[in-house]
Amino acid sequence: MHKIIISVKDLKKNYGNFSAVKGISFDVLEGEIFGLLGPNGAGKSTTLEIIETLRDKTSGKVILDNIDLDSDPDKIKKIIGVQLQTSGFYPGLNLTELIKLFGGLYNQPVNVGELLELVNLKDKAKSKYKELSGGQKQRFSIATTLINQPKIIFLDEPTTGLDPQARRNLWDLIKDIRNKGTTVIITTHYMDEAEQLCDRVAIMDEGKIIALDTPDKLIDELVATGFERPKVTKSANLEDVFIHLTGKDFRED
Ligand code: ADP
Ligand code: MG
């Protein structure tokens, strides 16, 4: 079966007196898309950034691919892909130059054409980052997480603010990346997205994990309590209308 690639045990994070993460434990399996869901302030980004070695934890144990975060954070950095803050994309450079620059930082040879092809930006190779649409920017930023050929990538709300077409396209890209063998951890506010994309989800609230399972099991459990959704009176919704009318293709290119 799938092996555990991330193990988090009793992770805590305090900011001063405030306890943002209150002792959470979970495992992520190799090759899955794992969703961290929860309202604003739940502690999702804090948790991700600790695992990414970008933030110190207060206590707890984090192990990635058998590497202990406490003893070898540099080794962890080499096997993960992290979305860079968009402010890190030098505005004067084009996409090819940016990827080469990051490849240099990672000390990795990188096939720029192949990478841009994967995220469907090959025809933008000579465009500057600031000239891209929102969806294109997100796809480029995901491309940069793949430069060091990581085992695990972390995506913190990658689809927030995107239009329906761009969101769907990003889902396909994320599934592609996973199908090539990369483990994906993603946070999102969109439950339809989590249901479509994630093999398992952890629901966080106020620094705690309050549920963790496959979307299907979580839904079945709720239904088993007698919960019933108000009857659906129409077999489509407004998003269906929008996609039906405007199609699934991009408009941005
Ligand atoms: P989420 O990503 O789920 O919205 P965050 O991890 O960003 O949640 O934040 C969790 C809580 O910790 C929030 O209440 C937030 O205000 C607080 N917090 C986050 N970063 C800091 C910080 N650097 N200093 C103090 N409080 C912080
Ligand atoms: Mg966040």
Side-chain angles (χ1 to χ4, degrees):
M1 275 316 287
H2 289 293
K3 72 164 194 178
I4 292 170
I5 195 156
I6 301 177
S7 160
V8 174
K9 290 223 161 62
D10 203 20
L11 178 68
K12 294 182 181 153
K13 175 66 180 181
N14 300 335
Y15 294 112
N17 296 331
F18 175 70
S19 170
V21 177
K22 298 173 180 158
I24 61 170
S25 300
F26 62 95
D27 293 331
V28 176
L29 304 178
E30 187 167 45
E32 75 176 339
I33 301 178
F34 186 89
L36 212 48
L37 315 180
N40 279 329
K44 305 180 297 295
S45 296
T46 298
T47 301
L48 285 199
E49 285 168 16
I50 290 169
I51 301 172
E52 292 165 341
T53 77
L54 298 178
R55 215 176 263 259
D56 289 331
K57 58 185 163 59
T58 302
S59 64
K61 196 118 196 99
V62 177
I63 295 174
L64 277 83
D65 200 32
N66 297 319
I67 309 163
D68 191 325
L69 179 76
D70 291 325
S71 46
D72 221 340
D74 288 341
K75 215 164 160 190
I76 287 180
K77 286 193 181 91
K78 292 198 178 115
I79 62 154
I80 64 171
V82 172
Q83 264 186 304
L84 298 152
Q85 296 297 315
T86 54
S87 56
F89 296 135
Y90 297 95
L93 300 184
N94 69 39
L95 301 191
T96 301
E97 292 162 338
L98 280 170
I99 287 180
K100 284 188 176 154
L101 174 70
F102 291 125
L105 293 178
Y106 284 121
N107 202 12
Q108 282 270 337
V110 37
N111 186 330
V112 177
E114 207 171 87
L115 196 58
L116 289 177
E117 174 90 66
L118 174 71
V119 297
N120 203 11
L121 285 175
K122 211 164 181 182
D123 54 337
K124 297 282 171 188
K126 298 285 174 249
S127 304
K128 291 177 179 157
Y129 177 79
K130 63 178 179 194
E131 294 163 356
L132 302 179
S133 71
Q136 291 169 338
K137 281 182 176 152
Q138 277 299 345
R139 297 209 301 281
F140 181 71
S141 141
I142 289 176
T144 65
T145 70
L146 299 170
I147 287 171
N148 60 336
Q149 298 175 314
K151 291 189 177 181
I152 309 163
I153 62 168
F154 295 85
L155 306 174
D156 198 351
E157 295 187 31
T159 65
T160 296
L162 298 185
D163 70 38
Q165 281 91 353
R167 281 178 71 214
R168 277 167 174 68
N169 183 265
L170 218 63
W171 298 349
D172 290 342
L173 171 60
I174 292 166
K175 284 181 190 165
D176 264 10
I177 290 169
R178 189 276 301 278
N179 291 342
K180 292 195 168 93
T182 309
T183 305
V184 179
I185 302 198
I186 181 172
T187 71
T188 178
H189 290 295
Y190 302 112
M191 294 307 125
D192 60 330
E193 175 165 301
E195 203 176 330
Q196 276 274 329
L197 209 53
C198 298
D199 298 300
R200 294 189 308 140
V201 298
I203 301 179
M204 269 188 97
D205 195 19
E206 297 181 351
K208 293 194 195 120
I209 290 180
I210 53 175
L212 195 167
D213 216 321
T214 64
D216 210 40
K217 285 243 183 67
L218 291 172
I219 294 166
D220 286 350
E221 274 169 27
L222 177 63
V223 171
T225 66
F227 179 93
E228 211 176 322
R229 203 192 240 194
K231 277 278 170 283
V232 180
T233 53
K234 297 179 182 175
S235 50
N237 62 22
L238 189 58
E239 177 143 340
D240 295 324
V241 173
F242 181 84
I243 292 291
H244 182 74
L245 289 174
T246 62
K248 285 188 177 158
D249 298 333
F250 288 118
R251 298 315 173 74
E252 57 195 6
D253 301 297

